[in-house]
DNA sequence: TTGTATGCGTTATCAC
DNA sequence: GTGATAACGCATACAA
């Protein structure tokens, strides 16, 4: 028996039903625009709902429907330009379809990534979109999603080993190749390379493409001029100091992100090294900062919006048609573009 | 009667209970580390849960508890440096306490902001954190939160009119004052001003502080050198062209964000105007781009991390102690700092 | 320390 | 076109 609760402020469909002398089922149907309900009742219900200040309870609804309409997302950091743009584009698209994005940051820590995966897993997200942390080489923490048939999509930084999931990534091999070819074509022969760790797919593939370009031109990549590390400005400066310590100096640098390319330009400025005459630089990502510094930096554009659109499309297909989930290891490659500026 | 479902893959506490010959209540308690349960049972339950691949269902839990452990958030754009840093700091703190952040972007559109507020409202977020869109001057879409006793906190871009909500904001008045004083002290007397629209609290207050500085020095702000508009690079260029169209030129510019200050530096470079000799520039926000351009830009730091920490603290207090919700119109001001660089 | 019973708010199924 | 009912999974009050 329902007791009288004078302070009961939350209105449920039952309250509306009572007020209108109809059943809760009818109210639910009317509110959901179910076609089997008369126009008149629909209106009566909606008006009364408005009047009573009813708000839909998506927890109850989700529990009943077994879907939360929430898409989980794990990214390294939202402050990275590429990811910020990607997230925005994805969010705009998903919002149109009634989904919300729950964006979490791993801060490039594998252990945080694991915790977030667990949390999102029990939060019952309808799908998970991930760009991996820098050193994640084991993907067990995502197994549950696939086992439960929850769509799992990796973008940009994707598994380097075989793993049952959808993958949508940039053409990093080509990016590395373009960068290498471009440096060579503009006359470089002694090239330094500052890369991210090879545990991370994007750096691994950029390295392969870059290496291929050098091999073709029979240019050797000097061991002492190669770095594989987290691409912070500070690390970049340390590497640059090491690279320019001796008499023999490179005439080109491929930096695997723009933060590092930026540091290289600043380093050269400090050292009085002329760009592009004495030193050419190519970065990666087309971060806005790359076009602001003097000289503006030649870089590789990854087309984050297009990548987001492809992820959105894949996601929506998977969400709408469960039968598509039988296949869970598709792979798409998004083209990259070299943007030439004044450092080459 | 429970039917046999061969493909039933989701394990509930009932399944664990049956497997262990205990009640569901016991399982629930064991899983939640309820002290009134024996160590032995707790372990048995947890082991079995692990074995069966049980995952907690937060929808059911939320429905029952009437709390979602989700904090809603509406920001203009996550690609703005200030907001990206703020969000990250807030998220890190809230995660420690078991809350998730649902970050939504208004894209500076009031109508999107309204929709997001409605969605988050029926998503049953436990609290809402908002930085307003550029032209939002009516706050009705947030009324529901306060009515339901859901903590509502505005940060940075806050209501300009009296509104029952918690406010944590930067000292924009002081920021404007500092910028004005600094330009005057470094010798400017003919000052141009490119501001955001005055519908937005931050620009309104920066304008007041700036105006106060000029008044004190008996410097008049020329009508034709004042702009109040969305602070995009494109708008900035248009304004700059208008400002520098005639013979009489300003010797100082206060740009109310760094995007605009950046444009001013580039404009000056294009026009051959010497900075800081012929023209001094002060920006706002301490965006990383401001320190990268040549010459690096003098700007105002808003201390996003400190602001986020204060919001987190306020939020957690409100969440933990419902009695605090009696007061819903507190106000905190976070100090700002002038960062002097080479444009002044 | 554990079990029983109940309800959170919604919606699908079946009946009329 | 509408109603009655059950069930989603969990956690609490109350009993034992």
């Amino acid at each position: 028996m329902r007791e009288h609760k004078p302070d009961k402020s939350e209105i449920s469909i039952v309250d509306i039903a009572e007020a209108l002398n109809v059943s809760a089922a009818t109210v639910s149907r009317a509110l959901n625009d179910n076609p089997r309900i008369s126009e008149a009742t629909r209106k009566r219900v909606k008006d009364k709902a408005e009047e009573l200040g009813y708000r839909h309870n998506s927890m109850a609804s989700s529990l009943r429907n077994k879907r939360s309409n929430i898409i989980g997302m794990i990214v390294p950091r939202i402050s990275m330009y590429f990811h910020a743009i990607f997230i925005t584009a994805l969010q705009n698209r998903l919002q149109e379809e009634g989904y919300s994005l729950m964006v979490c940051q791993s801060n490039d820590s594998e252990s945080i990534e694991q915790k977030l995966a667990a949390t999102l897993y029990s939060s019952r997200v309808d799908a998970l979109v991930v760009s991996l942390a820098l050193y994640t080489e084991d993907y067990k923490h995502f197994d549950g999603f696939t086992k439960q048939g929850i769509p799992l999509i990796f973008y940009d930084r994707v598994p380097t080993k075989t793993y049952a999931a959808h993958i949508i990534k940039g053409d990093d091999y080509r990016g590395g190749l373009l960068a290498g070819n471009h440096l060579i074509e503009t006359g470089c022969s002694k090239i330094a390379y500052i890369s991210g760790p090879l545990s991370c797919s994007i750096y691994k593939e950029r390295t392969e493409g870059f290496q291929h370009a050098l091999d073709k031109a029979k240019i050797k990549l000097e061991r002492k001029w190669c770095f594989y590390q987290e691409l912070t400005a500070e690390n970049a400066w340390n590497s640059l100091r090491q690279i320019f310590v001796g008499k023999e100096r490179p005439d080109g640098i491929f930096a695997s992100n723009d933060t590092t390319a930026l540091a290289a330009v600043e380093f050269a400025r400090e050292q009085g090294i002329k760009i592009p005459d004495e030193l050419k630089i190519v970065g990666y990502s087309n971060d806005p900062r790359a076009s602001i510094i003097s000289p503006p930096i030649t870089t590789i554009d990854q087309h984050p919006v297009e990548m987001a659109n492809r992820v959105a499309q894949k996601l929506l297909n998977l969400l709408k048609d469960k039968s598509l989930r039988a296949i869970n290891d598709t792979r798409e490659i998004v083209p990259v573009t070299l943007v030439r500026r004044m450092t080459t």
Side-chain angles (χ1 to χ4, degrees), chain A:
Chain A
M1 184 85 19
R2 174 183 296 270
E3 283 184 71
H4 177 62
K5 300 194 182 156
D7 61 344
K8 183 180 190 309
S9 52
E10 283 285 357
I11 305 297
S12 77
I13 54 172
V14 177
D15 299 313
I16 300 178
E18 283 173 359
L20 255 30
N21 267 317
V22 295
S23 75
T26 301
V27 175
S28 174
R29 285 191 272 248
L31 255 18
N32 289 312
D33 286 322
N34 184 314
R36 316 158 71 87
I37 218 83
S38 80
E39 206 39 73
T41 334
R42 191 198 317 285
K43 179 155 170 38
R44 282 210 312 145
V45 168
K46 289 196 172 176
D47 287 351
K48 182 57 82 179
E50 178 72 34
E51 178 194 331
L52 262 33
Y54 167 79
R55 62 166 169 160
H56 177 77
N57 187 325
S58 37
M59 297 172 196
S61 177
S62 295
L63 176 60
R64 181 64 235 242
N65 291 325
K66 293 174 174 295
R67 16 186 245 98
S68 61
N69 285 323
I70 296 176
I71 309 298
M73 191 160 178
I74 303 177
V75 307
R77 336 186 100 97
I78 63 168
S79 56
M80 293 171 75
Y81 172 77
F82 172 81
H83 292 287
I85 299 300
F86 179 95
I87 291 167
T88 303
L90 183 62
Q91 192 169 52
N92 289 344
R93 184 74 190 86
L94 293 180
Q95 217 121 56
E96 292 168 8
E97 306 287 332
Y99 290 98
S100 296
L101 252 195
M102 179 97 115
V103 183
C104 303
Q105 305 183 65
S106 67
N107 296 333
D108 267 324
S109 148
E110 181 169 8
S111 68
I112 294 180
E113 185 179 270
Q114 287 164 347
K115 276 177 207 144
L116 292 173
T119 305
L120 291 172
Y121 183 58
S122 71
S123 297
R124 297 317 216 243
V125 292
D126 289 348
L128 184 67
V129 179
V130 183
S131 191
L132 291 166
L134 215 43
Y135 297 104
T136 301
E137 295 194 82
D138 174 85
Y139 319 112
K140 275 203 279 299
H141 43 301
F142 300 114
D143 287 356
F145 293 90
T146 307
K147 268 187 202 147
Q148 291 298 335
I150 302 165
L152 174 60
I153 303 185
F154 290 96
Y155 78 94
D156 190 47
R157 298 179 179 186
V158 307
T160 50
K161 298 160 197 156
T162 308
Y163 188 70
H166 299 282
I167 287 178
I168 295 180
K169 60 184 291 300
D171 197 344
D172 292 292
Y173 180 89
R174 182 125 220 285
L177 187 70
L178 284 175
N181 283 343
H182 183 66
L183 284 172
I184 293 164
E185 283 161 12
T186 52
C188 299
S189 59
K190 298 179 297 178
I191 302 179
Y193 181 43
I194 305 181
S195 165
L198 300 180
S199 53
C200 189
S201 67
I202 55 177
Y203 302 119
K204 181 162 176 279
E205 298 183 16
R206 287 172 200 173
T207 299
E208 289 164 2
F210 179 59
Q211 187 65 255
H212 183 75
L214 298 199
D215 288 351
K216 242 182 10 193
K218 307 232 189 307
I219 291 177
K220 187 159 174 292
L221 199 50
E222 298 288 342
R223 197 71 172 260
K224 63 181 177 189
W225 286 350
C226 283
F227 296 84
Y228 301 92
Q229 63 199 358
E230 190 173 353
L231 295 176
T232 63
E234 196 186 347
N235 281 346
W237 276 85
N238 288 334
S239 304
L240 288 159
R241 284 195 201 96
Q242 281 185 249
I243 291 171
F244 286 88
V245 76
K247 260 268 149 70
E248 200 192 354
R249 295 180 156 202
D251 53 12
I253 297 182
F254 175 32
S256 212
N257 79 355
D258 283 331
T259 299
T260 303
L262 234 37
V265 169
E266 288 174 338
F267 177 86
R269 186 190 297 154
E270 194 199 81
Q271 300 282 311
I273 301 167
K274 291 200 190 70
I275 296 175
D277 297 343
E278 297 171 34
L279 180 66
K280 295 187 173 50
I281 298 170
V282 176
Y284 211 107
S285 280
N286 201 11
D287 185 302
R289 293 174 300 162
S291 64
I292 279 170
I293 199 168
S294 307
I297 301 172
T298 296
T299 184
I300 307 285
D301 192 305
Q302 304 176 271
H303 303 295
V305 174
E306 161 151 17
M307 200 181 293
N309 287 337
R310 295 225 206 168
V311 169
Q313 195 53 58
K314 168 68 75 182
L315 212 41
L316 292 169
N317 290 343
L318 253 19
L319 253 13
K320 282 176 185 159
D321 183 356
K322 289 210 173 195
S323 73
L324 293 176
R325 300 190 192 175
I327 300 162
N328 63 7
D329 60 347
T330 65
R331 196 178 176 88
E332 290 183 43
I333 310 281
V334 179
V336 296
T337 320
L338 182 107
V339 180
R340 184 164 185 189
R341 299 212 181 90
M342 305 306 288
T343 55
T344 57

